[in-house]
Amino acid sequence: CFSCFGAKEKDTPAATQGKPALHAPPTPSKGSGPAPPPKQAEEEESEWKKQELSELPPDFASKARSKPRIDVSENRIVTLTVDFSMFASTLKELDVNDNRLKSIPDSICSLVKLEIFHAYKNEIQSLPQAIGQLKSLKEINVFNNKITELPAGIGTLGALTLLNVASNQLGKTPLPSFDGLTSLTRLALFWNKITALPALNKLGALQELQVHKNSLKEFPSLVGLGKLTSLQASDNRLESITATIGSCASLEELSVGKNNLLSLPLDLVKCKKLSKLVVNNNALTDFPADLLLPSLQTLDLSHNQLTTLENVGKIRELHNLFIQGNKIRTLGADVLGIKSLRRVNLEGNPLHGFTQEADLKRICDQNGGKFVGSQKDDAPAIVAKI
């Protein structure tokens, strides 16, 4: 089913819970002796990983004191019973993912050199209020927990490039201001119950915005997001797309399926780099004739209320056209001029006067793709895995 299109592999729970790549330890300063071999260093840093620990071992503090990276992931730890302030001068990466943690100790906020904090797949209900003190933080990943509210300080972390708070229980209280997240490149808020987003116009470095599977009814202004390449907002309650989307000159993917959209803004035409437009399962009655997107390769308009589609043949780079489940009676013959078509699905449309389905199928076959006609015939269903 093409309605799942738009969720990248890294957005799925299994993929997001995967272990991040190890970071090489820093080179020792002159006079501190030779650096340990990479394999040895990795083993030393991961000696507590996946050891079926229910608590930190008695010698943890003494062994971890000088390490730049601590990894106690994939255990059964319920509480972090250690004063993290003793690691403040050395610790740069802390990985506590895949445990049974219900809270994060406040002493973590003393780790002024901490750059990476991974605590996904736990049972954490809140983050420390003083998290804004961690000015060196570049990554926060607390995916798949039970967090209901974000502390205000999280929006002041100017070095942060990744904030992943997806698959939590956010939405009961408003999100804090994100104005200070000027280095952020990926913001993952999907799988929550968020009804409104804070202003985003100060997030000039943002490249990926993932807010699908929430309860959003509208977007804030997207002015200032000139570097945004991917916007995933499917499975919400959106009734319109802000006209300020035309400010997103770098946008390559827009996924807004499964909402309550009645129309598309003509300002989308300003997104010259847009290659994937997914608007399935909405209430569109028209695809604007002037919405000609020169880089568009995938267009999913399936399961809407369209009755005609006359201008699609002008999108010459199109590879994938999904318009099944509409009420289309008229399809412009110029669609046959799109020689790059690979996958086309017309199923369920009462097409009249369009007799070239066999020609469309031939184009798809020549490009190694799939074709499903309006009557489906015996053609296999399309599995859209772009």
Side-chain angles (χ1 to χ4, degrees), residues 19 48-53 71-76 95-99:
K19 180 69 187 73
W48 303 293
K49 177 183 176 181
K50 207 172 184 178
Q51 297 297 315
E52 298 185 0
L53 300 174
D71 185 352
V72 295
S73 62
E74 299 181 64
N75 284 293
R76 297 175 296 183
D95 191 338
V96 297
N97 80 80
D98 204 353
N99 277 285

Side-chain angles (χ1 to χ4, degrees), residues 137-186:
L137 265 182
K138 296 179 180 178
E139 295 184 11
I140 296 177
N141 189 339
V142 287
F143 175 90
N144 198 2
N145 277 282
K146 297 181 180 180
I147 299 170
T148 59
E149 183 177 3
L150 295 181
I154 206 167
T156 66
L157 298 173
L160 204 65
T161 60
L162 166 67
L163 177 56
N164 187 344
V165 289
S167 192
N168 276 280
Q169 297 175 11
L170 298 174
K172 295 180 181 179
T173 58
L175 294 174
S177 169
F178 289 159
D179 283 357
L181 301 179
T182 53
S183 299
L184 199 68
T185 59
R186 184 186 174 207

Side-chain angles (χ1 to χ4, degrees), residues 116-328:
I116 297 175
F117 176 52
H118 291 163
Y120 50 89
K121 200 179 179 184
N122 278 286
E123 299 174 17
I124 299 168
Q125 298 177 13
S126 63
L127 295 174
Q129 288 297 314
I131 197 170
Q133 297 176 8
L134 302 179
K135 299 301 183 183
S136 298
L137 265 182
K138 296 179 180 178
E139 295 184 11
I140 296 177
N141 189 339
V142 287
F143 175 90
N144 198 2
N145 277 282
K146 297 181 180 180
I147 299 170
T148 59
E149 183 177 3
L150 295 181
I154 206 167
T156 66
L157 298 173
L160 204 65
T161 60
L162 166 67
L163 177 56
N164 187 344
V165 289
S167 192
N168 276 280
Q169 297 175 11
L170 298 174
K172 295 180 181 179
T173 58
L175 294 174
S177 169
F178 289 159
D179 283 357
L181 301 179
T182 53
S183 299
L184 199 68
T185 59
R186 184 186 174 207
L187 176 57
L189 298 168
F190 57 92
W191 280 323
N192 279 287
K193 299 177 182 178
I194 299 168
T195 57
L197 295 175
L200 302 174
N201 58 300
K202 299 294 181 64
L203 278 59
L206 194 65
Q207 298 175 18
E208 295 182 72
L209 177 57
Q210 299 167 308
V211 293
H212 46 287
K213 291 186 179 295
N214 277 288
S215 298
L216 297 173
K217 290 186 177 180
E218 62 181 3
F219 265 107
S221 171
L222 299 178
V223 171
L225 303 188
K227 294 184 179 180
L228 191 70
T229 61
S230 176
L231 173 52
Q232 298 182 37
S234 60
D235 279 286
N236 277 284
R237 300 176 183 176
L238 296 173
E239 296 179 357
S240 64
I241 300 175
T242 171
T244 59
I245 197 163
S247 303
C248 302
S250 300
L251 194 65
E252 298 175 6
E253 176 183 357
L254 175 61
S255 181
V256 286
K258 295 186 177 180
N259 278 287
N260 300 318
L261 299 176
L262 298 175
S263 62
L264 296 175
L266 284 177
D267 299 81
L268 265 176
V269 77
K270 299 176 184 178
C271 302
K272 302 296 186 183
K273 296 182 180 181
L274 193 66
S275 62
K276 295 179 184 178
L277 177 57
V278 182
V279 206
N280 61 292
N281 293 84
N282 277 282
L284 300 181
T285 57
D286 177 56
F287 184 74
D290 295 328
L291 195 56
L292 303 178
L293 300 163
S295 300
L296 198 64
Q297 295 184 4
T298 295
L299 177 60
D300 183 3
L301 298 170
S302 61
H303 303 289
N304 277 280
Q305 302 295 320
L306 300 175
T307 57
T308 182
L309 195 61
E310 292 279 5
N311 61 318
V312 71
K314 296 179 181 179
I315 306 175
R316 293 298 185 178
E317 299 299 319
L318 202 61
H319 292 175
N320 308 290
L321 176 62
F322 301 93
I323 55 175
Q324 68 270 24
N326 279 282
K327 301 176 181 180
I328 297 174

Side-chain angles (χ1 to χ4, degrees), residues 7-18 143 190-191 212:
K8 298 181 181 179
E9 181 180 354
K10 65 186 175 186
D11 297 343
T12 62
T16 312
Q17 292 164 10
F143 175 90
F190 57 92
W191 280 323
H212 46 287

